[in-house]
Short mmCIF file of all heavy atoms in Angstrom, two decimals:
data_model
loop_
_atom_site.label_atom_id
_atom_site.label_comp_id
_atom_site.label_asym_id
_atom_site.label_seq_id
_atom_site.Cartn_x
_atom_site.Cartn_y
_atom_site.Cartn_z
N MET W 1080 -33.44 39.71 3.21
CA MET W 1080 -34.58 39.57 4.14
C MET W 1080 -34.90 40.89 4.80
O MET W 1080 -34.00 41.65 5.07
CB MET W 1080 -34.31 38.52 5.24
CG MET W 1080 -34.15 37.10 4.76
SD MET W 1080 -33.86 36.02 6.15
CE MET W 1080 -35.29 35.05 6.14
N LYS W 1081 -36.18 41.10 5.05
CA LYS W 1081 -36.61 42.29 5.69
C LYS W 1081 -36.18 42.29 7.17
O LYS W 1081 -36.19 41.22 7.82
CB LYS W 1081 -38.07 42.50 5.51
CG LYS W 1081 -38.50 42.78 4.12
CD LYS W 1081 -40.01 42.79 4.05
CE LYS W 1081 -40.45 44.26 4.22
NZ LYS W 1081 -41.93 44.38 4.04
N LYS W 1082 -35.95 43.51 7.67
CA LYS W 1082 -35.58 43.64 9.08
C LYS W 1082 -36.67 43.02 10.01
O LYS W 1082 -36.35 42.33 11.03
CB LYS W 1082 -35.30 45.03 9.43
CG LYS W 1082 -34.91 45.27 10.82
CD LYS W 1082 -34.62 46.81 11.15
CE LYS W 1082 -34.39 47.03 12.58
NZ LYS W 1082 -34.24 48.42 12.92
N GLN W 1083 -37.95 43.34 9.73
CA GLN W 1083 -38.99 42.86 10.52
C GLN W 1083 -39.06 41.35 10.61
O GLN W 1083 -39.28 40.71 11.63
CB GLN W 1083 -40.37 43.38 10.08
CG GLN W 1083 -40.54 44.89 10.39
CD GLN W 1083 -39.93 45.75 9.25
OE1 GLN W 1083 -39.51 45.23 8.18
NE2 GLN W 1083 -39.90 47.01 9.52
N LEU W 1084 -38.83 40.73 9.45
CA LEU W 1084 -38.82 39.28 9.37
C LEU W 1084 -37.67 38.64 10.16
O LEU W 1084 -37.90 37.67 10.93
CB LEU W 1084 -38.73 38.81 7.94
CG LEU W 1084 -38.65 37.29 7.72
CD1 LEU W 1084 -39.95 36.62 8.23
CD2 LEU W 1084 -38.45 36.94 6.24
N LEU W 1085 -36.56 39.26 10.15
CA LEU W 1085 -35.36 38.75 10.89
C LEU W 1085 -35.63 38.95 12.36
O LEU W 1085 -35.35 38.02 13.22
CB LEU W 1085 -34.17 39.51 10.52
CG LEU W 1085 -33.56 39.07 9.11
CD1 LEU W 1085 -32.38 39.98 8.74
CD2 LEU W 1085 -33.23 37.60 9.04
N LEU W 1086 -36.26 40.05 12.76
CA LEU W 1086 -36.54 40.26 14.21
C LEU W 1086 -37.60 39.24 14.67
O LEU W 1086 -37.52 38.72 15.78
CB LEU W 1086 -37.08 41.64 14.45
CG LEU W 1086 -35.96 42.73 14.34
CD1 LEU W 1086 -36.54 44.16 14.39
CD2 LEU W 1086 -34.98 42.57 15.51
N ASP W 1087 -38.64 39.02 13.80
CA ASP W 1087 -39.66 38.02 14.14
C ASP W 1087 -39.05 36.63 14.29
O ASP W 1087 -39.35 35.87 15.25
CB ASP W 1087 -40.80 38.00 13.12
CG ASP W 1087 -41.99 37.27 13.56
OD1 ASP W 1087 -42.38 37.32 14.70
OD2 ASP W 1087 -42.51 36.54 12.64
N LEU W 1088 -38.17 36.26 13.42
CA LEU W 1088 -37.53 34.96 13.42
C LEU W 1088 -36.65 34.79 14.65
O LEU W 1088 -36.75 33.84 15.38
CB LEU W 1088 -36.70 34.77 12.16
CG LEU W 1088 -35.86 33.46 11.99
CD1 LEU W 1088 -36.86 32.30 11.89
CD2 LEU W 1088 -34.96 33.59 10.83
N ALA W 1089 -35.94 35.88 15.00
CA ALA W 1089 -35.04 35.80 16.21
C ALA W 1089 -35.89 35.70 17.47
O ALA W 1089 -35.55 34.91 18.35
CB ALA W 1089 -34.20 37.05 16.28
N GLU W 1090 -37.01 36.43 17.51
CA GLU W 1090 -37.86 36.36 18.71
C GLU W 1090 -38.44 34.92 18.83
O GLU W 1090 -38.39 34.36 19.97
CB GLU W 1090 -39.04 37.42 18.52
CG GLU W 1090 -39.97 37.26 19.79
CD GLU W 1090 -41.41 37.78 19.53
OE1 GLU W 1090 -41.81 37.91 18.27
OE2 GLU W 1090 -42.04 38.06 20.48
N ARG W 1091 -38.93 34.42 17.80
CA ARG W 1091 -39.49 33.02 17.93
C ARG W 1091 -38.44 32.01 18.24
O ARG W 1091 -38.74 31.13 19.13
CB ARG W 1091 -40.20 32.68 16.57
CG ARG W 1091 -41.42 33.45 16.26
CD ARG W 1091 -41.91 33.18 14.86
NE ARG W 1091 -42.95 34.10 14.50
CZ ARG W 1091 -44.20 33.69 14.32
NH1 ARG W 1091 -44.55 32.45 14.53
NH2 ARG W 1091 -45.09 34.60 13.95
N ALA W 1092 -37.34 32.06 17.65
CA ALA W 1092 -36.21 31.10 17.92
C ALA W 1092 -35.75 31.24 19.36
O ALA W 1092 -35.50 30.31 20.05
CB ALA W 1092 -35.11 31.29 16.93
N GLY W 1093 -35.67 32.52 19.78
CA GLY W 1093 -35.16 32.71 21.18
C GLY W 1093 -36.16 32.23 22.17
O GLY W 1093 -35.73 31.53 23.16
N TRP W 1094 -37.44 32.51 22.03
CA TRP W 1094 -38.43 32.00 22.92
C TRP W 1094 -38.43 30.48 22.96
O TRP W 1094 -38.62 29.80 23.94
CB TRP W 1094 -39.79 32.61 22.69
CG TRP W 1094 -39.96 33.92 23.36
CD1 TRP W 1094 -40.15 35.15 22.62
CD2 TRP W 1094 -40.00 34.23 24.72
NE1 TRP W 1094 -40.31 36.12 23.56
CE2 TRP W 1094 -40.26 35.65 24.82
CE3 TRP W 1094 -39.94 33.51 25.84
CZ2 TRP W 1094 -40.31 36.28 26.05
CZ3 TRP W 1094 -40.01 34.15 27.12
CH2 TRP W 1094 -40.17 35.52 27.18
N THR W 1095 -38.40 29.84 21.75
CA THR W 1095 -38.42 28.42 21.64
C THR W 1095 -37.24 27.82 22.37
O THR W 1095 -37.35 26.82 23.17
CB THR W 1095 -38.41 27.94 20.17
OG1 THR W 1095 -39.58 28.49 19.53
CG2 THR W 1095 -38.46 26.47 20.08
N GLY W 1096 -36.04 28.37 22.17
CA GLY W 1096 -34.86 27.89 22.90
C GLY W 1096 -34.94 28.03 24.39
O GLY W 1096 -34.61 27.06 25.16
N ALA W 1097 -35.43 29.14 24.86
CA ALA W 1097 -35.65 29.39 26.26
C ALA W 1097 -36.68 28.37 26.86
O ALA W 1097 -36.43 27.81 28.00
CB ALA W 1097 -36.05 30.86 26.49
N GLN W 1098 -37.75 28.19 26.20
CA GLN W 1098 -38.78 27.28 26.65
C GLN W 1098 -38.24 25.86 26.70
O GLN W 1098 -38.49 25.09 27.71
CB GLN W 1098 -40.03 27.42 25.85
CG GLN W 1098 -40.75 28.69 25.97
CD GLN W 1098 -41.64 29.06 24.79
OE1 GLN W 1098 -41.71 28.36 23.81
NE2 GLN W 1098 -42.27 30.24 24.89
N ALA W 1099 -37.49 25.43 25.71
CA ALA W 1099 -36.97 24.10 25.69
C ALA W 1099 -35.94 23.89 26.81
O ALA W 1099 -35.98 22.87 27.52
CB ALA W 1099 -36.30 23.80 24.28
N ALA W 1100 -35.04 24.89 27.00
CA ALA W 1100 -34.06 24.73 28.07
C ALA W 1100 -34.69 24.78 29.46
O ALA W 1100 -34.32 23.91 30.32
CB ALA W 1100 -33.08 25.95 27.97
N LEU W 1101 -35.72 25.61 29.64
CA LEU W 1101 -36.41 25.60 30.91
C LEU W 1101 -37.13 24.33 31.26
O LEU W 1101 -37.10 23.75 32.31
CB LEU W 1101 -37.30 26.84 31.02
CG LEU W 1101 -38.04 27.04 32.30
CD1 LEU W 1101 -37.03 27.20 33.48
CD2 LEU W 1101 -38.89 28.24 32.27
N SER W 1102 -37.82 23.81 30.12
CA SER W 1102 -38.52 22.54 30.33
C SER W 1102 -37.58 21.39 30.71
O SER W 1102 -37.85 20.54 31.46
CB SER W 1102 -39.36 22.21 29.11
OG SER W 1102 -38.59 21.93 27.96
N LEU W 1103 -36.37 21.36 30.00
CA LEU W 1103 -35.44 20.34 30.35
C LEU W 1103 -34.92 20.47 31.70
O LEU W 1103 -34.70 19.44 32.49
CB LEU W 1103 -34.27 20.30 29.37
CG LEU W 1103 -34.58 19.74 27.95
CD1 LEU W 1103 -33.43 20.01 27.00
CD2 LEU W 1103 -34.86 18.29 28.04
N ALA W 1104 -34.65 21.69 32.17
CA ALA W 1104 -34.30 21.91 33.56
C ALA W 1104 -35.30 21.49 34.54
O ALA W 1104 -35.03 20.86 35.57
CB ALA W 1104 -33.89 23.40 33.79
N VAL W 1105 -36.62 21.77 34.21
CA VAL W 1105 -37.63 21.33 35.14
C VAL W 1105 -37.75 19.86 35.22
O VAL W 1105 -37.85 19.34 36.36
CB VAL W 1105 -39.01 21.91 34.60
CG1 VAL W 1105 -40.27 21.29 35.34
CG2 VAL W 1105 -39.00 23.47 34.82
N VAL W 1106 -37.68 19.17 34.15
CA VAL W 1106 -37.78 17.66 34.25
C VAL W 1106 -36.59 17.03 34.92
O VAL W 1106 -36.73 16.03 35.59
CB VAL W 1106 -38.07 16.96 32.89
CG1 VAL W 1106 -39.43 17.50 32.30
CG2 VAL W 1106 -36.96 17.14 31.92
N GLU W 1107 -35.48 17.66 34.76
CA GLU W 1107 -34.23 17.17 35.47
C GLU W 1107 -34.37 17.38 36.99
O GLU W 1107 -34.10 16.45 37.72
CB GLU W 1107 -32.99 17.83 34.94
CG GLU W 1107 -32.53 17.34 33.67
CD GLU W 1107 -32.06 15.87 33.60
OE1 GLU W 1107 -31.45 15.50 34.51
OE2 GLU W 1107 -32.47 15.12 32.67
N LEU W 1108 -34.83 18.57 37.37
CA LEU W 1108 -34.99 18.85 38.70
C LEU W 1108 -36.10 17.99 39.41
O LEU W 1108 -36.00 17.68 40.58
CB LEU W 1108 -35.25 20.32 38.98
CG LEU W 1108 -34.07 21.28 38.71
CD1 LEU W 1108 -34.55 22.74 38.75
CD2 LEU W 1108 -33.02 21.03 39.80
N ALA W 1109 -37.14 17.71 38.66
CA ALA W 1109 -38.23 16.95 39.11
C ALA W 1109 -37.94 15.45 39.08
O ALA W 1109 -38.73 14.59 39.63
CB ALA W 1109 -39.49 17.20 38.31
N ASP W 1110 -36.83 15.10 38.44
CA ASP W 1110 -36.42 13.71 38.34
C ASP W 1110 -37.48 12.87 37.67
O ASP W 1110 -37.81 11.74 38.21
CB ASP W 1110 -35.99 13.16 39.68
CG ASP W 1110 -35.17 11.87 39.56
OD1 ASP W 1110 -34.48 11.75 38.47
OD2 ASP W 1110 -35.18 11.06 40.44
N VAL W 1111 -38.03 13.28 36.58
CA VAL W 1111 -39.04 12.57 35.81
C VAL W 1111 -38.38 12.22 34.46
O VAL W 1111 -37.47 12.91 34.02
CB VAL W 1111 -40.32 13.35 35.69
CG1 VAL W 1111 -40.97 13.50 37.04
CG2 VAL W 1111 -40.17 14.73 35.01
N PRO W 1112 -39.01 11.31 33.70
CA PRO W 1112 -38.49 11.00 32.35
C PRO W 1112 -38.44 12.18 31.41
O PRO W 1112 -39.29 13.08 31.55
CB PRO W 1112 -39.44 9.95 31.81
CG PRO W 1112 -40.06 9.36 33.03
CD PRO W 1112 -40.12 10.49 34.05
N VAL W 1113 -37.41 12.32 30.63
CA VAL W 1113 -37.08 13.39 29.75
C VAL W 1113 -38.24 13.62 28.73
O VAL W 1113 -38.42 14.82 28.32
CB VAL W 1113 -35.75 13.32 29.10
CG1 VAL W 1113 -35.78 12.28 27.91
CG2 VAL W 1113 -35.26 14.61 28.60
N TRP W 1114 -39.04 12.67 28.43
CA TRP W 1114 -40.12 12.93 27.47
C TRP W 1114 -41.11 13.93 27.94
O TRP W 1114 -41.91 14.47 27.25
CB TRP W 1114 -40.79 11.65 27.02
CG TRP W 1114 -41.58 10.89 28.05
CD1 TRP W 1114 -41.15 9.83 28.78
CD2 TRP W 1114 -42.98 11.16 28.42
NE1 TRP W 1114 -42.15 9.38 29.69
CE2 TRP W 1114 -43.24 10.17 29.41
CE3 TRP W 1114 -43.90 12.02 28.05
CZ2 TRP W 1114 -44.48 10.15 29.99
CZ3 TRP W 1114 -45.13 11.94 28.62
CH2 TRP W 1114 -45.46 11.00 29.65
N TRP W 1115 -41.20 14.10 29.36
CA TRP W 1115 -42.06 15.13 29.92
C TRP W 1115 -41.65 16.50 29.50
O TRP W 1115 -42.39 17.48 29.71
CB TRP W 1115 -42.06 15.04 31.41
CG TRP W 1115 -43.04 13.98 31.89
CD1 TRP W 1115 -42.70 12.69 32.28
CD2 TRP W 1115 -44.48 14.07 32.07
NE1 TRP W 1115 -43.94 12.05 32.61
CE2 TRP W 1115 -44.95 12.91 32.49
CE3 TRP W 1115 -45.33 15.18 31.81
CZ2 TRP W 1115 -46.31 12.69 32.72
CZ3 TRP W 1115 -46.65 14.93 32.02
CH2 TRP W 1115 -47.14 13.74 32.52
N ALA W 1116 -40.41 16.72 29.02
CA ALA W 1116 -40.03 18.05 28.62
C ALA W 1116 -40.92 18.64 27.53
O ALA W 1116 -41.17 19.89 27.49
CB ALA W 1116 -38.55 18.03 28.14
N ALA W 1117 -41.46 17.85 26.62
CA ALA W 1117 -42.33 18.31 25.53
C ALA W 1117 -43.58 18.91 26.02
O ALA W 1117 -43.95 20.03 25.69
CB ALA W 1117 -42.59 17.19 24.49
N PRO W 1118 -44.31 18.27 26.92
CA PRO W 1118 -45.58 18.82 27.44
C PRO W 1118 -45.25 20.08 28.28
O PRO W 1118 -46.05 21.06 28.33
CB PRO W 1118 -46.19 17.74 28.28
CG PRO W 1118 -45.51 16.48 27.98
CD PRO W 1118 -44.27 16.83 27.27
N VAL W 1119 -44.15 20.06 29.00
CA VAL W 1119 -43.77 21.23 29.87
C VAL W 1119 -43.45 22.45 28.94
O VAL W 1119 -43.91 23.53 29.17
CB VAL W 1119 -42.56 20.92 30.80
CG1 VAL W 1119 -42.03 22.18 31.44
CG2 VAL W 1119 -42.95 19.82 31.83
N ALA W 1120 -42.73 22.17 27.82
CA ALA W 1120 -42.43 23.29 26.89
C ALA W 1120 -43.74 23.78 26.27
O ALA W 1120 -43.90 25.03 25.96
CB ALA W 1120 -41.52 22.73 25.79
N LEU W 1121 -44.69 22.90 25.98
CA LEU W 1121 -45.98 23.32 25.38
C LEU W 1121 -46.70 24.19 26.39
O LEU W 1121 -47.23 25.24 25.97
CB LEU W 1121 -46.80 22.13 25.05
CG LEU W 1121 -48.24 22.34 24.61
CD1 LEU W 1121 -48.20 23.09 23.25
CD2 LEU W 1121 -49.02 21.07 24.38
N ALA W 1122 -46.69 23.84 27.63
CA ALA W 1122 -47.35 24.64 28.65
C ALA W 1122 -46.70 26.02 28.77
O ALA W 1122 -47.32 27.06 28.91
CB ALA W 1122 -47.29 23.99 29.99
N LEU W 1123 -45.31 26.03 28.71
CA LEU W 1123 -44.61 27.32 28.82
C LEU W 1123 -44.86 28.12 27.58
O LEU W 1123 -45.08 29.39 27.77
CB LEU W 1123 -43.12 27.00 28.89
CG LEU W 1123 -42.57 26.49 30.24
CD1 LEU W 1123 -41.08 26.05 30.00
CD2 LEU W 1123 -42.73 27.53 31.33
N SER W 1124 -45.00 27.53 26.36
CA SER W 1124 -45.28 28.37 25.16
C SER W 1124 -46.65 28.93 25.28
O SER W 1124 -46.87 30.12 24.92
CB SER W 1124 -45.17 27.42 24.02
OG SER W 1124 -45.42 28.06 22.82
N SER W 1125 -47.64 28.10 25.77
CA SER W 1125 -49.01 28.61 25.85
C SER W 1125 -49.11 29.77 26.84
O SER W 1125 -49.80 30.78 26.62
CB SER W 1125 -49.93 27.50 26.25
OG SER W 1125 -49.95 26.51 25.25
N ALA W 1126 -48.41 29.57 27.99
CA ALA W 1126 -48.41 30.67 29.03
C ALA W 1126 -47.78 31.90 28.51
O ALA W 1126 -48.29 33.01 28.72
CB ALA W 1126 -47.64 30.09 30.29
N LYS W 1127 -46.67 31.79 27.78
CA LYS W 1127 -46.03 32.97 27.22
C LYS W 1127 -46.90 33.73 26.22
O LYS W 1127 -47.02 34.93 26.24
CB LYS W 1127 -44.63 32.55 26.52
CG LYS W 1127 -43.94 33.74 25.89
CD LYS W 1127 -44.34 33.76 24.41
CE LYS W 1127 -43.74 34.87 23.63
NZ LYS W 1127 -44.33 35.04 22.35
N GLY W 1128 -47.56 32.94 25.42
CA GLY W 1128 -48.52 33.53 24.42
C GLY W 1128 -49.67 34.25 25.11
O GLY W 1128 -50.09 35.31 24.65
N TRP W 1129 -50.20 33.62 26.14
CA TRP W 1129 -51.34 34.20 26.87
C TRP W 1129 -50.89 35.53 27.59
O TRP W 1129 -51.60 36.54 27.43
CB TRP W 1129 -51.85 33.21 27.90
CG TRP W 1129 -53.08 33.76 28.61
CD1 TRP W 1129 -54.39 33.60 28.15
CD2 TRP W 1129 -53.15 34.40 29.85
NE1 TRP W 1129 -55.16 34.17 29.01
CE2 TRP W 1129 -54.54 34.67 30.09
CE3 TRP W 1129 -52.17 34.79 30.75
CZ2 TRP W 1129 -54.94 35.28 31.27
CZ3 TRP W 1129 -52.58 35.44 31.90
CH2 TRP W 1129 -53.92 35.75 32.16
N VAL W 1130 -49.79 35.47 28.25
CA VAL W 1130 -49.28 36.69 28.96
C VAL W 1130 -48.92 37.76 27.93
O VAL W 1130 -49.33 38.96 28.18
CB VAL W 1130 -48.02 36.33 29.79
CG1 VAL W 1130 -47.35 37.57 30.33
CG2 VAL W 1130 -48.43 35.46 30.96
N ALA W 1131 -48.22 37.47 26.86
CA ALA W 1131 -47.87 38.45 25.86
C ALA W 1131 -49.14 39.07 25.21
O ALA W 1131 -49.11 40.21 24.91
CB ALA W 1131 -46.93 37.82 24.77
N GLY W 1132 -50.17 38.24 25.00
CA GLY W 1132 -51.38 38.74 24.42
C GLY W 1132 -52.10 39.65 25.38
O GLY W 1132 -52.88 40.58 24.91
N ARG W 1133 -51.97 39.49 26.60
CA ARG W 1133 -52.66 40.41 27.60
C ARG W 1133 -51.80 41.68 27.90
O ARG W 1133 -52.36 42.77 28.07
CB ARG W 1133 -52.85 39.66 28.93
CG ARG W 1133 -53.70 38.48 28.87
CD ARG W 1133 -55.04 38.66 28.28
NE ARG W 1133 -55.92 37.51 28.19
CZ ARG W 1133 -55.88 36.63 27.22
NH1 ARG W 1133 -54.92 36.65 26.27
NH2 ARG W 1133 -56.76 35.64 27.19
N LEU W 1134 -50.46 41.51 27.93
CA LEU W 1134 -49.63 42.63 28.26
C LEU W 1134 -49.10 43.45 27.02
O LEU W 1134 -48.81 44.55 27.07
CB LEU W 1134 -48.41 42.16 29.08
CG LEU W 1134 -48.72 41.57 30.39
CD1 LEU W 1134 -47.38 41.07 31.05
CD2 LEU W 1134 -49.47 42.52 31.35
N GLY W 1135 -49.07 42.75 25.90
CA GLY W 1135 -48.62 43.35 24.68
C GLY W 1135 -49.74 43.98 23.89
O GLY W 1135 -50.76 44.42 24.33
N ARG W 1136 -49.49 44.09 22.59
CA ARG W 1136 -50.54 44.60 21.65
C ARG W 1136 -51.65 43.61 21.43
O ARG W 1136 -51.50 42.41 21.44
CB ARG W 1136 -49.89 44.92 20.29
CG ARG W 1136 -48.98 46.13 20.42
CD ARG W 1136 -48.08 46.27 19.21
NE ARG W 1136 -47.37 45.02 18.87
CZ ARG W 1136 -46.45 44.38 19.51
NH1 ARG W 1136 -45.98 44.82 20.61
NH2 ARG W 1136 -45.87 43.30 19.06
N LYS W 1137 -52.88 44.15 21.36
CA LYS W 1137 -54.10 43.31 21.24
C LYS W 1137 -53.99 42.53 19.88
O LYS W 1137 -53.54 43.03 18.84
CB LYS W 1137 -55.34 44.15 21.09
CG LYS W 1137 -55.58 44.98 22.36
CD LYS W 1137 -56.19 44.02 23.41
CE LYS W 1137 -56.54 44.83 24.64
NZ LYS W 1137 -56.91 44.07 25.78
N GLY W 1138 -54.41 41.25 19.90
CA GLY W 1138 -54.41 40.38 18.71
C GLY W 1138 -53.12 39.79 18.28
O GLY W 1138 -53.09 39.14 17.28
N THR W 1139 -52.08 39.91 19.10
CA THR W 1139 -50.80 39.29 18.81
C THR W 1139 -50.15 38.77 20.05
O THR W 1139 -50.34 39.40 21.10
CB THR W 1139 -49.91 40.31 18.09
OG1 THR W 1139 -48.53 39.78 18.09
CG2 THR W 1139 -49.92 41.69 18.55
N ALA W 1140 -49.44 37.74 19.94
CA ALA W 1140 -48.68 37.09 21.12
C ALA W 1140 -47.20 37.47 21.01
O ALA W 1140 -46.42 36.80 21.62
CB ALA W 1140 -48.90 35.61 21.20
N SER W 1141 -46.87 38.43 20.21
CA SER W 1141 -45.48 38.83 20.04
C SER W 1141 -45.01 39.69 21.20
O SER W 1141 -45.74 40.42 21.75
CB SER W 1141 -45.33 39.63 18.75
OG SER W 1141 -44.11 40.10 18.57
N THR W 1142 -43.69 39.56 21.46
CA THR W 1142 -43.11 40.39 22.48
C THR W 1142 -42.18 41.45 21.84
O THR W 1142 -41.53 42.17 22.56
CB THR W 1142 -42.23 39.54 23.52
OG1 THR W 1142 -41.26 38.77 22.78
CG2 THR W 1142 -43.08 38.68 24.28
N LEU W 1143 -42.17 41.54 20.49
CA LEU W 1143 -41.42 42.55 19.83
C LEU W 1143 -42.11 43.96 19.96
O LEU W 1143 -43.33 44.01 20.17
CB LEU W 1143 -41.39 42.24 18.31
CG LEU W 1143 -40.47 41.12 17.94
CD1 LEU W 1143 -40.71 40.82 16.43
CD2 LEU W 1143 -39.04 41.36 18.17
N PRO W 1144 -41.38 44.99 19.85
CA PRO W 1144 -41.92 46.36 19.90
C PRO W 1144 -42.82 46.51 18.64
O PRO W 1144 -42.62 45.85 17.65
CB PRO W 1144 -40.74 47.28 19.82
CG PRO W 1144 -39.49 46.46 20.01
CD PRO W 1144 -39.85 45.05 19.87
N ALA W 1145 -43.77 47.32 18.77
CA ALA W 1145 -44.81 47.52 17.73
C ALA W 1145 -44.16 47.83 16.34
O ALA W 1145 -44.59 47.37 15.36
CB ALA W 1145 -45.86 48.57 18.08
N GLY W 1146 -43.08 48.67 16.40
CA GLY W 1146 -42.48 49.02 15.10
C GLY W 1146 -41.67 47.92 14.44
O GLY W 1146 -41.40 47.98 13.31
N ALA W 1147 -41.40 46.85 15.19
CA ALA W 1147 -40.65 45.81 14.58
C ALA W 1147 -41.46 44.49 14.39
O ALA W 1147 -41.00 43.55 13.80
CB ALA W 1147 -39.46 45.42 15.55
N ASP W 1148 -42.67 44.53 14.86
CA ASP W 1148 -43.55 43.33 14.74
C ASP W 1148 -44.27 43.27 13.47
O ASP W 1148 -45.00 44.17 13.13
CB ASP W 1148 -44.57 43.29 15.93
CG ASP W 1148 -45.44 42.13 15.92
OD1 ASP W 1148 -45.05 41.06 15.35
OD2 ASP W 1148 -46.50 42.19 16.53
N PRO W 1149 -44.04 42.25 12.60
CA PRO W 1149 -44.68 42.17 11.30
C PRO W 1149 -46.22 42.12 11.39
O PRO W 1149 -46.91 42.64 10.55
CB PRO W 1149 -44.18 40.86 10.67
CG PRO W 1149 -42.88 40.58 11.37
CD PRO W 1149 -43.05 41.24 12.73
N ALA W 1150 -46.76 41.50 12.48
CA ALA W 1150 -48.17 41.43 12.63
C ALA W 1150 -48.78 42.82 12.90
O ALA W 1150 -49.85 43.14 12.37
CB ALA W 1150 -48.52 40.57 13.83
N SER W 1151 -48.08 43.65 13.64
CA SER W 1151 -48.55 44.98 13.82
C SER W 1151 -48.49 45.84 12.58
O SER W 1151 -49.33 46.65 12.31
CB SER W 1151 -47.74 45.66 14.94
OG SER W 1151 -47.97 45.08 16.10
N LEU W 1152 -47.42 45.74 11.85
CA LEU W 1152 -47.20 46.46 10.63
C LEU W 1152 -48.29 46.08 9.54
O LEU W 1152 -48.76 46.91 8.80
CB LEU W 1152 -45.83 46.24 10.01
CG LEU W 1152 -44.65 46.72 10.93
CD1 LEU W 1152 -43.35 46.27 10.28
CD2 LEU W 1152 -44.77 48.24 11.08
N ALA W 1153 -48.67 44.82 9.47
CA ALA W 1153 -49.68 44.34 8.54
C ALA W 1153 -51.06 44.98 8.88
O ALA W 1153 -51.82 45.19 7.96
CB ALA W 1153 -49.74 42.83 8.50
N ARG W 1154 -51.30 45.24 10.13
CA ARG W 1154 -52.63 45.81 10.52
C ARG W 1154 -52.52 47.33 10.61
O ARG W 1154 -53.56 47.91 10.83
CB ARG W 1154 -52.86 45.27 11.96
CG ARG W 1154 -53.14 43.85 11.97
CD ARG W 1154 -53.51 43.42 13.39
NE ARG W 1154 -53.69 42.01 13.41
CZ ARG W 1154 -54.08 41.38 14.46
NH1 ARG W 1154 -54.33 42.00 15.56
NH2 ARG W 1154 -54.33 40.07 14.39
N GLY W 1155 -51.36 47.87 10.43
CA GLY W 1155 -51.24 49.34 10.47
C GLY W 1155 -51.29 49.90 11.90
O GLY W 1155 -51.66 50.96 12.13
N VAL W 1156 -50.91 49.02 12.84
CA VAL W 1156 -50.98 49.47 14.29
C VAL W 1156 -49.76 50.31 14.53
O VAL W 1156 -48.68 50.19 14.14
CB VAL W 1156 -50.95 48.27 15.20
CG1 VAL W 1156 -50.83 48.68 16.65
CG2 VAL W 1156 -52.15 47.38 14.95
#
């Protein structure tokens, strides 16, 4: 596997795990049914993508450095 693909995979898996763990913590602290964790994780994922798109490179929601991001390499950024 290419290094960029592995970094992209690790980034996505890491963010997904963090969002899932945080959403479960939120629903536990709020004392609401655990099925609410899915919409909370969706909101966290959307917020992360929006913030990364504004603070990171234009046209991508990645938080990887430009040299490691497959989306940036494909565009020649």
Side-chain angles (χ1 to χ4, degrees):
M1080 293 179 113
K1081 293 175 92 176
K1082 180 181 175 184
Q1083 288 85 10
L1084 177 61
L1085 289 174
L1086 287 171
D1087 189 43
L1088 179 65
E1090 179 202 20
R1091 291 171 188 251
W1094 277 114
T1095 300
Q1098 291 158 358
L1101 185 57
S1102 66
L1103 284 171
V1105 167
V1106 298
E1107 285 295 319
L1108 289 172
D1110 199 27
V1111 295
V1113 75
W1114 67 263
W1115 276 99
V1119 171
L1121 175 65
L1123 288 171
S1124 178
S1125 298
K1127 177 264 176 192
W1129 186 84
V1130 169
R1133 301 303 178 279
L1134 298 178
R1136 289 162 317 286
K1137 296 282 185 193
T1139 160
S1141 176
T1142 55
L1143 288 173
D1148 183 22
S1151 295
L1152 296 174
R1154 293 179 180 187
V1156 175

